[in-house]
């Protein structure tokens, strides 16, 4: 059931209990977890944190801890499956689910006792009515037994005929109801999409309880930016939620000039900005950022000789010397940096890149360190999916979680370095796929499969990295192809997952169109394809479109 009052129905219930936190491996989930951890620290709530990267790990974690805990909090996992059927919990076990995955499983919605859903109330959920999905069986089992010994045979026969007609009508009504139910459920469950960021839901809880801090607000911003970077929400949804967070930013960071000048060296300040849609450009060189950002690389077609010429023309149009753009952004001449955004935006419009400016937030730690929200997303995701072996599997999760704290700037810078490697690998793989015609149009889909031995292929055995690659590749392919039909097709991408076991990870991406509602039908499509071909598949990811 949906929780209408998060404070009374969720936080006040668990504040005096031992709680198990099950947190998915994505940046939004980490940010929501950080906010909840901060709240728990305020109220001395006892909790255990368990990272889960898929359904198998979630089931294992529940089985290991179900005897010690009665209260479980799921972050970005658990909403889109029937939890009671999968986990088979005792009746005194309670699940609180804060998950941005949609659609929410219908059994979870109508379970009044054990499952509590923490969802933003104004999200457009379109949940079917209870009577359309569930039906009491009592009516079906009742048989009319009105016969009496004293009745005439003709009365018995007439009554029997009436009962037969009545039962036939009931059966027909039931068949019609079941057919309608299947249709309603198909329409409801057909597409996968994402609702409000879990970090924003948790920040709302902190705000309602008057415990919201600037750190929590920043984590909510990073959670929302993760959804935008990963292309999980529409531009309209992103702009709407940015507006909500902007009001909180104004409230938390309102200072006059005198106070501004007297800030301490370890202060933290968040600001709303219109900034450039260039990945990590303030921590890289402008040239590298232009080459490795999906938007600019695809529009300029940088995998071709002609595209490289266009890049040189673009830089010449801005009047920026190559020596300046190829050195670290921090080392560029101050005179060039002052009007850089305006110069880039003006030239970008001439080259058909009208959406190079984006609404976002930046954070200042003291006087030296400035980061955009997207910088944090790239760094944290790269730490979480690092392929360097360092101790147990949870090491990367803990590193990524720690990098979100302002006291761990060394981990954040480590994440930025990994993110640069990841973006370079993605752009090189995209260029390779397009130049060697690895993207194949077959039937209603585009296909691309990375072979074992491809450079950096190990990096793409991780779901977030493979998704980023798929989205970058589809965007670039749409810009490069002259076939109008291909521009409207979705993409299926496959990469080797475990060479020894011979397994492959697959992801499905909806078509790259301006009016895209970000709804993905591949979850159901993969299930049907697996059934019809008798393939061995493991649906282990919380996103249905990954397999």
């Amino acid at each position: 059931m949906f929780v209408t009052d998060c404070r009374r129905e969720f936080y006040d219930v668990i504040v005096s209990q031992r709680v198990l936190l099950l947190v998915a491996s994505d940046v939004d989930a980490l940010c929501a977890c950080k906010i909840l951890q901060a709240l728990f620290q305020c109220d001395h709530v006892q909790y255990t944190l368990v990272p889960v990267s898929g359904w198998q790990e979630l089931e294992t974690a529940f089985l290991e801890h179900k005897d010690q805990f009665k209260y479980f909090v799921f972050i970005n996992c658990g909403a889109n499956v029937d939890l009671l059927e999968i986990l088979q919990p005792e009746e005194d076990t309670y699940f609180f689910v804060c998950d941005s995955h949609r659609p929410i499983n219908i059994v979870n919605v109508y379970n009044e006792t054990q499952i509590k859903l923490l969802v933003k109330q104004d999200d457009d959920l379109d949940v079917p009515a209870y009577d359309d999905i569930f039906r009491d069986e009592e009516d079906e089992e009742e048989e009319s037994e009105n016969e009496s010994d004293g009745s005439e045979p003709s009365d018995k026969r007439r009554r029997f005929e009436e009962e037969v007609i009545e039962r036939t009508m009931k059966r027909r009504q039931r068949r019609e109801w079941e057919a309608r139910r299947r249709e309603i459920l198909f329409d409801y469950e057909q597409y996968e999409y994402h609702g409000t960021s879990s970090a924003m839901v948790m920040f709302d809880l902190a705000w309602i309880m008057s415990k919201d801090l600037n750190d929590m607000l920043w984590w909510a911003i990073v959670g929302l930016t993760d959804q935008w970077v990963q292309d999980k929400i529409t531009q309209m949804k992103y702009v709407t939620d940015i507006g909500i967070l902007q009001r909180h930013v104004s409230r938390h960071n309102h200072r006059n000039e005198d106070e501004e000048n007297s800030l301490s060296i370890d202060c933290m300040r968040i600001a709303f900005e219109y900034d450039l849609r260039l990945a990590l450009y303030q921590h890289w060189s402008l040239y590298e950022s232009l080459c490795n950002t999906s938007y600019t690389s695809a529009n300029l077609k940088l995998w071709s000789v002609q595209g490289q010429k266009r890049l040189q023309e673009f830089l010449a149009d801005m009047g920026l010397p190559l020596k300046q753009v190829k050195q670290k952004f921090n080392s560029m001449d101050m005179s060039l940096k002052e009007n850089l955004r305006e110069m880039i935006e003006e030239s970008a419009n001439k080259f058909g890149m009208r959406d190079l400016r984006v609404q976002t937030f930046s954070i200042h730690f003291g006087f030296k360190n400035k980061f955009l929200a997207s910088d944090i997303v790239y760094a944290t995701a790269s730490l979480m999916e690092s392929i360097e072996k360092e101790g147990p599997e949870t090491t990367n999760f803990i590193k990524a979680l720690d990098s979100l704290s302002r006291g761990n700037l060394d981990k954040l810078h480590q994440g930025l370095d990994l993110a640069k490697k990841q973006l370079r690998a993605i752009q090189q793989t995209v260029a390779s796929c397009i130049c060697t015609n690895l993207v194949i149009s077959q039937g209603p889909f585009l296909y691309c499969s990375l072979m074992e031995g491809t450079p950096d292929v190990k990096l793409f055995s991780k779901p977030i990295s493979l998704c980023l690659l798929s989205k970058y590749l589809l965007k670039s392919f749409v810009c490069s192809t002259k076939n109008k039909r291909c521009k409207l097709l979705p993409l299926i991408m496959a990469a080797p997952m475990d060479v020894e076991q011979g397994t492959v990870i697959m992801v499905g991406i909806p078509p790259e169109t301006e009016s895209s509602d970000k709804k993905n039908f591949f979850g159901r499509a993969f299930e049907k394809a697996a059934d019809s071909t008798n393939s061995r598949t493991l649906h282990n990811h919380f996103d249905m479109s990954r397999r």
Side-chain angles (χ1 to χ4, degrees), residues 46-288:
Q46 292 184 352
Y47 71 93
T48 298
L49 170 61
V50 179
V52 287
S53 61
W55 294 114
Q56 284 187 325
E57 286 186 14
L58 188 143
E59 287 180 52
T60 305
F62 176 74
L63 289 172
E64 284 177 5
H65 295 91
K66 66 177 183 178
D67 295 331
Q68 295 95 41
F69 295 89
K70 296 298 177 192
Y71 292 86
F72 295 81
V73 177
F74 296 78
I75 299 182
N76 269 4
C77 54
N80 53 352
V81 295
D82 185 348
L83 280 177
L84 297 185
E85 186 183 335
I86 286 179
L87 301 178
Q88 302 288 319
E90 300 293 329
E91 288 186 5
D92 59 346
T93 301
Y94 300 95
F95 298 144
F96 294 93
V97 183
C98 181
D99 189 359
S100 63
H101 292 103
R102 305 287 183 269
I104 298 171
N105 185 276
I106 204 75
V107 177
N108 294 343
V109 172
Y110 288 112
N111 182 285
E112 298 277 324
T113 52
Q114 290 181 274
I115 297 174
K116 315 287 182 184
L117 299 163
L118 312 175
V119 173
K120 201 168 175 65
Q121 293 302 308
D122 54 359
D123 269 9
D124 188 15
L125 296 166
D126 292 328
V127 178
Y130 180 87
D131 291 335
D132 288 339
I133 306 298
F134 302 102
R135 184 167 174 163
D136 293 331
E137 296 294 325
E138 292 172 10
D139 298 336
E140 311 306 319
E141 293 170 3
E142 283 181 4
E143 293 284 336
S144 300
E145 296 179 358
N146 300 321
E147 296 180 20
S148 60
D149 292 332
S151 301
E152 294 290 325
S154 58
D155 291 342
K156 283 185 180 180
R157 195 181 303 114
R158 190 174 66 251
R159 200 174 296 119
F160 176 73
E161 288 170 357
E162 286 172 359
E163 284 172 11
V164 169
I165 293 168
E166 192 179 337
R167 278 202 294 272
T168 307
M169 287 292 290
K170 279 188 176 181
R171 285 196 196 102
R172 184 187 298 164
Q173 286 171 359
R174 180 164 184 81
R175 280 198 300 273
E176 288 172 358
W177 178 84
E178 283 174 348
R180 194 168 68 251
R181 178 182 186 272
R182 281 194 296 274
E183 193 177 317
I184 290 168
L185 276 178
F186 178 79
D187 290 342
Y188 177 65
E189 295 174 345
Q190 184 179 7
Y191 294 106
E192 182 193 15
Y193 59 104
H194 288 80
T196 300
S197 146
S198 293
M200 282 188 69
V201 173
M202 285 300 170
F203 178 77
D204 274 352
L205 170 65
W207 177 51
I208 288 164
M209 299 196 300
S210 301
K211 291 181 180 177
D212 53 320
L213 303 171
N214 227 10
D215 288 280
M216 295 182 187
L217 176 55
W218 178 244
W219 293 325
I221 288 166
V222 174
L224 169 63
T225 308
D226 174 55
Q227 288 193 317
W228 179 73
V229 167
Q230 303 290 342
D231 211 27
K232 291 177 178 178
I233 53 173
T234 61
Q235 185 68 19
M236 180 63 74
K237 172 71 174 161
Y238 175 69
V239 171
T240 303
D241 286 352
I242 281 276
I244 293 167
L245 291 173
Q246 195 179 346
R247 292 194 286 274
H248 289 296
V249 167
S250 302
R251 183 169 56 84
H252 273 278
N253 298 270
H254 179 68
R255 295 186 175 97
N256 60 37
E257 289 301 313
D258 294 334
E259 285 179 302
E260 194 76 58
N261 294 331
S262 63
L263 287 175
S264 63
I265 199 161
D266 63 344
C267 72
M268 170 182 171
R269 190 170 76 258
I270 303 171
F272 172 77
E273 292 187 14
Y274 278 96
D275 214 307
L276 297 171
R277 194 175 177 174
L278 295 176
L280 309 176
Y281 78 95
Q282 294 181 10
H283 310 279
W284 218 348
S285 70
L286 191 62
Y287 185 82
E288 287 274 22

Side-chain angles (χ1 to χ4, degrees), residues 297-314:
S297 173
N299 279 282
L300 295 170
K301 301 176 186 171
L302 295 183
W303 54 85
S304 63
V305 176
Q306 195 63 35
Q308 290 295 326
K309 282 183 185 173
R310 275 173 63 82
L311 177 60
Q312 302 297 330
E313 289 168 15
F314 178 60

Side-chain angles (χ1 to χ4, degrees), residues 351-369:
F351 282 76
M353 295 182 286
R354 292 179 177 80
D355 299 321
L356 198 59
R357 197 172 74 149
V358 67
Q359 297 179 32
T360 186
F361 295 93
S362 65
I363 192 166
H364 295 257
F365 297 130
F367 303 117
K368 187 180 176 185
N369 295 293

